[in-house]
Structures are given as structure tokens and as C-alpha cells.
Amino acid sequence: MKNLLTALLILLGIQCITAQETVGGKVLKNAKDKTYQRGEQKGDEGVETVLNKAEEKIKNIFKKKDKKKKEEPQPSEENQEQSTENTENKKSNTSKTAVKGNSKFDFVAGEKELYFDNFDRLAVGDFPAEFNTNASGEIVNIDGQSGKWLSMTKNGAFVPDNIKKLPENFTLEFEVGIYGEPTNNYAGFGLNFTTQSEDLMKEMFFSKGTSIVYLHPGAGETSLQIIPTNGSEIENRIKMPQWDVNTNNNFAKVSVWRQKGRLRVYVNEDKIVDVPRFFTESTNYDFAFFRSFFGDCEIYLTNVRYAVAGADTRNKLITEGRFVTNGILFDVNSDNIKPESGTVLKEMATTLQENPTVRVKIIGHTDSDGADAANLALSQKRAAAVKTALSSFYGIDANRMETDGKGESQPLNKNTTPTEKAQNRRVEFIKL
């Protein structure tokens, strides 16, 4: 009997392997049928006991596979664009949660966009003509990440020509990533704000009138260096778990906000730096990215957005009757509102709460990419998503809001460059 049971178990194992591509019920049936045939019904109750145990194990295998499938990450942005209507519904639910969950994120993206680049127009292997460098880099695609990225392959400075003579109130946003072993030596990924134009190509030994933020994913920390023309230098180190290769947080979004002398830096949606006297000089600052890593690694950059802060939301809507914003952002080809839109939505909700008799029409606009009809439908859905967010999460009466979409029919410019297209992707509030 013992030999028979052993043989039966071996047969069951072979059958599970050969039938692994079939559904669970078929695997169970084949295993039972073939075992009974080979055993010629000789094992009676003992065989049935073994089969029942094997059946339970096979069921557990399929349960584990199902559970694993549920825990797999969501598809990339490119795949989401091709997904079904059910997936779009899931995106809308995610949008609502994200907007509500991040409504306390106090970063306010600038309204007047001066520069935007996602490098989409460039061929892989090229280097953007709008950047100057004393190092090297190229445009690449990254597995698991959407869009194109500027890979900074060597230590040195990367100077965006369109981010010069910084205004007193601006925002700078970008996505950054790293692959490799950077170690915690050297400075890291730098943001160089300097009044000395000759310092833009430097990695170290900066002149007076320079203030620097270092983001180091090898150490999981941010550090500051402020070198005023008059007074003592200031340095500090701050923990930064949001971008830390030691915990596999290889990619992050960085948001920088200047208000005269004050600098705030956010990594993802967490405020890392808030220094009231970071910009110490009265003259104009220029800007450069730079990388300074000891280990062998590559730094990636994309979705660079530089803007001047616009007029106060409440003033524009109430006094002028119209407010237009690029600060409500959506996933590509989707009405899914991005988390960083929470601040603008909260300000608009506050405006409507403080002016309970005011009614508004919310109008969505897109860029010219894609078919006209699809863009029209998308703009209408985005306007409706904004209305839903204001009603669901901020308690604004839905009857006070109408929605409409204009698609690409009312462009602000020629819609030819990434910056122009970003300006056309906007949401408009009209006082009724």
C-alpha cells in the first residue's frame, strides 16, 4: 500500500506539471482520471484520501496565483491609454481618492508657464539643443517608465537655456530617477541657483552669491549650501526617504517654489526644505542642474516645467469673472486628476465657499494631439471630473456648477512645441 501511495503521489506531481497551463477544474479532473486508470481502482479509500489532499493543494495553488495576480502593479501610462472602459472607471475612482488625500499638499504651481519639456520631440540618442553641458547625456526610454528621459551619464552641469534670470516668484517641477550604485560620497544631484553666471558649469567650490540644493538618493538625504555675498555660509542636512535607492525608491517628482527670498522644495508630495532666506542677493539668479556622484550610475530627468506664479485665484474669479489654470493636471489621455492638483482645487473650493451665491461654468481644453472628436470628448470628461472633485470632496453644491469642453478648438498659441501644448491643456472657470 505504501508503494502504491508513493506512485500515486509521483503521478499526481507529473500530471500537475503537464497540465499547468489549463484551468484548475481541468487539472483536477485529469489528475483523478489518470490516477484511477493507472491504479486500476485498487487503492479504494486510501487512494481517494490522497486524491482529496492533492485536490486541496491544487486549489490552493490556483488561489495563490489569483492572489498574486491581484497584487500586481497597475499597467504603465502607455498601457492605460489603450485599456478598456472598466479600467477608465477604476482610474476615475483613483483620481477621487488621490485628490482628496493630497488636498493638504500646499505647493502651488505657477500659472504663467515659461518653459516645459518632456523631450518627446527628440529621437533616442539625441541631446536636447536647449541644454548646455560640460558633461554628456542622451535621450532614452526607460523600462517601466513612460515617456522619454534625459539621461545624464557623466558628472557635470546641465544648463537649461530657458531657465535664466529667475523671477522673484516662480515654480520649477521635474521628475528625476536613478539607476546604478551612486554610493553616499560626493554631492549628489544638484540644483544650482547662482548670481555668478560663470558658476553655472561648476560642481563644487562655488562663488559668493550662490545657493545650492543637493538631492542624494545614495544617502537618502537633502543638503543645503548657502554662500551669501555678505555674512556666514549656511549648511544643513535633511532626511529624504522619498528618493532613496536603499529602499528601492528610484524615481520621484521634485517641486521647487521660490517666493522672493524663500525656497520650498518638495519630493513627491512631502515638503523637505523650507528656508526663508535661501535667496540672499537682490540681483537676478540663473540656474543649472548638475550631477556629482562617486559611484557608477545614471541620472534621468523629464517633464521639466518652469512657471511664474499667477494672480490670486479668488481675485481673478470674483473680480474679473474668469480664472484659467494649468495647475489642474490629468494623466495622459485621461480624466484622472493628478494628486498635485489638490492645491488649486482647494483654493477654488474656498473661493466658492466664501461666495455662496456665485455659480461657475467649468470648461476643459486640450492640446491638438489626437483626433478632434476624441479631444472634445476628453475635455468634457475633464471638466466633469473637476466638478465631481469640488462637489465630492469640498462640499460645493453640484447645482452651482455647469461643465463644458472645447477640445482643441480654442488654442492659445500654435500648438507646436511641448511648452505651447502644455499651455493649451487648461481648465477655465467662468463666473455665471
Side-chain angles (χ1 to χ4, degrees):
M1 182 57 121
K2 181 176 180 181
N3 291 336
L4 177 59
L5 290 176
T6 301
L8 289 173
L9 289 173
I10 292 172
L11 288 170
L12 278 171
I14 293 171
Q15 184 60 29
C16 284
I17 293 172
T18 58
Q20 62 183 347
E21 297 300 325
T22 62
V23 297
K26 188 174 180 180
V27 171
L28 294 174
K29 184 178 186 304
N30 288 347
K32 279 189 174 182
D33 289 347
K34 292 196 175 184
T35 304
Y36 274 118
Q37 291 169 9
R38 295 289 183 92
E40 296 179 355
Q41 307 289 344
K42 292 182 180 180
D44 50 271
E45 294 181 1
V47 173
E48 185 64 28
T49 300
V50 173
L51 287 171
N52 288 339
K53 290 182 178 179
E55 179 177 338
E56 188 63 32
K57 288 182 179 179
I58 293 172
K59 287 181 179 178
N60 289 337
I61 289 172
F62 283 95
K63 286 179 181 178
K64 289 178 181 178
K65 286 185 177 180
D66 290 341
K67 182 178 180 182
K68 183 178 181 181
K69 185 176 181 181
K70 291 177 183 178
E71 292 175 351
E72 288 178 354
Q74 295 298 314
S76 66
E77 186 171 82
E78 293 179 356
N79 291 335
Q80 286 175 348
E81 294 174 22
Q82 303 170 2
S83 60
T84 63
E85 183 177 351
N86 290 336
T87 303
E88 290 299 324
N89 291 337
K90 290 179 182 178
K91 280 195 209 174
S92 296
N93 293 336
T94 302
S95 169
K96 293 176 184 179
T97 303
V99 172
K100 183 179 181 181
N102 293 280
S103 61
K104 293 183 179 179
F105 176 45
D106 66 353
F107 173 77
V108 180
E111 293 293 331
K112 184 180 179 182
E113 190 169 90
L114 301 177
Y115 171 64
F116 174 82
D117 208 341
N118 58 6
F119 310 118
D120 190 54
R121 70 195 182 283
L122 300 176
V124 170
D126 284 353
F127 186 87
E130 295 81 5
F131 277 69
N132 191 17
T133 185
N134 57 4
S136 66
E138 61 178 348
I139 300 302
V140 299
N141 292 319
I142 303 175
D143 289 343
Q145 302 292 326
S146 62
K148 293 181 180 179
W149 299 68
L150 170 59
S151 174
M152 303 176 179
T153 56
K154 301 294 183 182
N155 284 348
F158 296 80
V159 183
D161 292 335
N162 294 313
I163 306 181
K164 295 277 186 73
K165 306 302 178 188
L166 305 178
E168 288 189 341
N169 193 346
F170 73 86
T171 59
L172 174 65
E173 304 164 76
F174 56 90
E175 293 177 46
V176 65
I178 184 171
Y179 279 137
E181 299 294 335
T183 79
N184 60 359
N185 295 320
Y186 285 19
F189 180 68
L191 310 177
N192 176 13
F193 301 94
T194 182
T195 59
Q196 308 298 321
S197 58
E198 63 271 17
D199 280 6
L200 288 174
M201 289 292 181
K202 286 187 177 180
E203 298 175 45
M204 56 187 68
F205 308 120
F206 294 95
S207 306
K208 291 182 180 296
T210 301
S211 297
I212 309 159
V213 177
Y214 302 100
L215 306 171
H216 206 311
E221 71 175 18
T222 297
S223 58
L224 303 173
Q225 185 178 7
I226 303 171
I227 313 172
T229 301
N230 298 303
S232 302
E233 293 187 16
I234 298 172
E235 294 186 10
N236 194 20
R237 294 179 182 273
I238 304 153
K239 291 294 183 184
M240 184 188 62
Q242 296 82 1
W243 192 31
D244 186 352
V245 296
N246 299 303
T247 54
N248 294 319
N249 291 317
N250 288 58
F251 287 81
K253 178 171 181 178
V254 178
S255 305
V256 177
W257 185 7
R258 178 189 182 182
Q259 288 182 306
K260 293 189 176 180
R262 186 172 196 162
L263 179 76
R264 299 181 181 94
V265 178
Y266 307 76
V267 180
N268 293 337
E269 290 154 35
D270 297 312
K271 187 189 295 182
I272 305 297
V273 172
D274 193 345
V275 180
R277 295 173 185 164
F278 181 86
F279 297 95
T280 60
E281 312 304 308
S282 58
T283 54
N284 286 326
Y285 282 80
D286 288 332
F287 172 78
F289 297 104
F290 69 89
R291 57 156 288 168
S292 178
F293 288 95
F294 180 78
D296 185 17
C297 62
E298 288 194 23
I299 294 292
Y300 304 103
L301 181 73
T302 195
N303 289 330
V304 182
R305 183 181 188 270
Y306 167 56
V308 177
D312 179 73
T313 305
R314 304 175 198 187
N315 178 64
K316 294 283 283 186
L317 180 65
I318 302 305
T319 63
E320 299 180 19
R322 181 173 177 266
F323 172 68
V324 182
T325 177
N326 299 107
I328 300 177
L329 305 176
F330 301 86
D331 287 342
V332 176
N333 289 347
S334 169
D335 61 348
N336 183 45
I337 301 174
K338 288 188 175 184
E340 52 264 46
S341 309
T343 299
V344 176
L345 288 170
K346 187 176 181 181
E347 287 189 353
M348 179 54 62
T350 301
T351 302
L352 294 174
Q353 288 164 354
E354 293 179 351
N355 298 272
T357 62
V358 170
R359 298 179 65 252
V360 295
K361 175 178 281 190
I362 304 167
I363 304 173
H365 298 267
T366 70
D367 60 30
S368 59
D369 290 346
D372 292 1
N375 284 335
L376 178 61
L378 179 61
S379 66
Q380 292 168 344
K381 290 180 180 179
R382 287 179 170 177
V386 172
K387 175 181 176 178
T388 298
L390 290 170
S391 176
S392 299
F393 303 131
Y394 300 101
I396 305 302
D397 186 351
N399 293 324
R400 296 174 60 192
M401 297 177 283
E402 299 178 8
T403 65
D404 195 6
K406 300 298 182 181
E408 60 184 85
S409 65
Q410 297 180 356
L412 301 176
N413 47 52
K414 294 182 180 180
N415 247 323
T416 55
T417 68
T419 297
E420 288 177 345
K421 290 177 181 180
Q423 291 170 349
N424 286 322
R425 296 191 295 268
R426 65 196 190 276
V427 177
E428 186 175 8
F429 295 84
I430 303 294
K431 182 180 174 183
L432 297 176

